[in-house]
Amino acid sequence: MNIEKTKQILQELPSHVELIAVSKTRTKEEVDEAYRLGCRTFGENKVQELVAKYDPKYTWHLIGHLQRNKVKDAVKYADMIESLDSMRLAQEIEKQCAKIDKVMPVLVEVNISQEENKTGIAYEECINFIKECQQFPHLDIQGLMCVGPLTDNQADIEACFESMHTLFQEAQESFGPSIRILSMGMSDDYELAIKHGSTMVRLGTILFGKRDYTI
């Protein structure tokens, strides 16, 4: 755990920007330590990891691609699903949330960089997708999420974030104050994301150190 860096980030983040501490592959002990330092919301990529580490004292976001066969468990434990990326997934979330009488806060994931290996709604389809999702009473769409392009070219990253901010503003104009979250920016690019209007950043490596994926 990068204790000093975590304290610094928590102190320096603008008041309107929420920190999601990405705890995928981390132990519950590491999550507890991050909580002691001031992190309050944790992001998991996989439902089974979220369930294994779940602690009701903390807030949990599911930030990875969500398979429909995992939705039943996801809606029981997640406080927000940041990766709504298809109508079929929206239908399944609605179905499972209706069973437990829960309204699920969600973000629409947008494939802003148009990379084939990334999930997400196409930029030009996003507004209509949100309109279609208004039919689901157990979905509370609170904003948008994206993953920046995998590149070292700062101009390309900024262009994607600026396009995302423009789309966020369009969604706000169309749907009003219910659209209030723009989740973009990770350890390598979160400062650029904040510069271009992000209200939520998802930080892992910069807080916890490099991951050992062999574990």
Side-chain angles (χ1 to χ4, degrees):
M1 187 86 202
N2 195 334
I3 293 174
E4 292 309 314
K5 188 64 176 177
T6 300
K7 288 179 177 177
Q8 180 188 341
I9 289 170
L10 284 165
Q11 189 171 12
E12 293 180 355
L13 274 184
S15 59
H16 69 280
V17 178
E18 182 179 0
L19 169 64
I20 310 301
V22 178
S23 48
K24 66 178 183 179
T25 77
R26 305 300 181 177
T27 65
K28 177 60 165 56
E29 289 71 27
E30 287 175 292
V31 171
D32 292 338
E33 182 177 14
Y35 184 84
R36 284 193 293 271
L37 292 173
C39 298
R40 292 295 177 262
T41 304
F42 296 89
E44 288 290 340
N45 273 40
K46 296 179 179 179
V47 175
Q48 57 267 39
E49 270 200 78
L50 190 161
V51 173
K53 293 176 213 171
Y54 181 76
D55 187 324
K57 297 195 300 287
Y58 309 160
T59 300
W60 298 92
H61 286 200
L62 194 65
I63 61 175
H65 176 64
L66 177 56
Q67 296 172 305
R68 294 195 309 282
N69 64 350
K70 305 286 188 184
V71 169
K72 183 178 180 180
D73 284 335
V75 300
K76 286 179 186 175
Y77 294 95
D79 296 288
M80 173 176 277
I81 295 171
E82 292 198 31
S83 49
L84 176 59
D85 61 2
S86 72
M87 184 51 62
R88 292 176 74 187
L89 180 57
Q91 291 166 341
E92 188 63 25
I93 294 171
E94 169 63 27
K95 175 183 171 182
Q96 297 301 334
C97 282
K99 290 179 181 179
I100 60 174
D101 195 26
K102 179 177 182 177
V103 176
M104 175 58 69
V106 298
L107 303 181
V108 175
E109 182 176 0
V110 180
N111 187 353
I112 194 66
S113 56
Q114 300 180 324
E115 293 172 85
E116 288 184 7
N117 62 333
K118 284 183 180 172
T119 55
I121 302 294
Y123 183 101
E124 60 274 8
E125 296 172 3
C126 184
I127 300 299
N128 280 336
F129 178 77
I130 297 174
K131 282 179 185 172
E132 284 190 59
C133 287
Q134 303 295 304
Q135 66 183 293
F136 301 127
H138 295 89
L139 262 65
D140 176 17
I141 296 181
Q142 296 188 359
L144 308 177
M145 183 269 259
C146 79
V147 177
L150 188 61
T151 176
D152 293 327
N153 188 315
Q154 299 257 311
D156 288 347
I157 297 169
E158 290 205 60
C160 276
F161 285 161
E162 188 52 38
S163 293
M164 196 71 191
H165 185 242
T166 298
L167 181 61
F168 176 63
Q169 290 176 315
E170 288 178 21
Q172 287 182 313
E173 289 171 9
S174 297
F175 305 105
S178 62
I179 304 294
R180 55 188 178 275
I181 297 171
L182 178 55
S183 176
M184 64 181 188
M186 298 190 291
S187 290
D188 290 336
D189 56 20
Y190 76 95
E191 290 169 314
L192 284 178
I194 292 170
K195 174 183 171 184
H196 290 277
S198 176
T199 67
M200 183 179 282
V201 294
R202 309 181 303 276
L203 307 184
T205 303
I206 199 169
L207 306 180
F208 293 101
K210 291 193 179 297
R211 292 183 179 85
D212 184 353
Y213 286 101
T214 64
I215 295 173

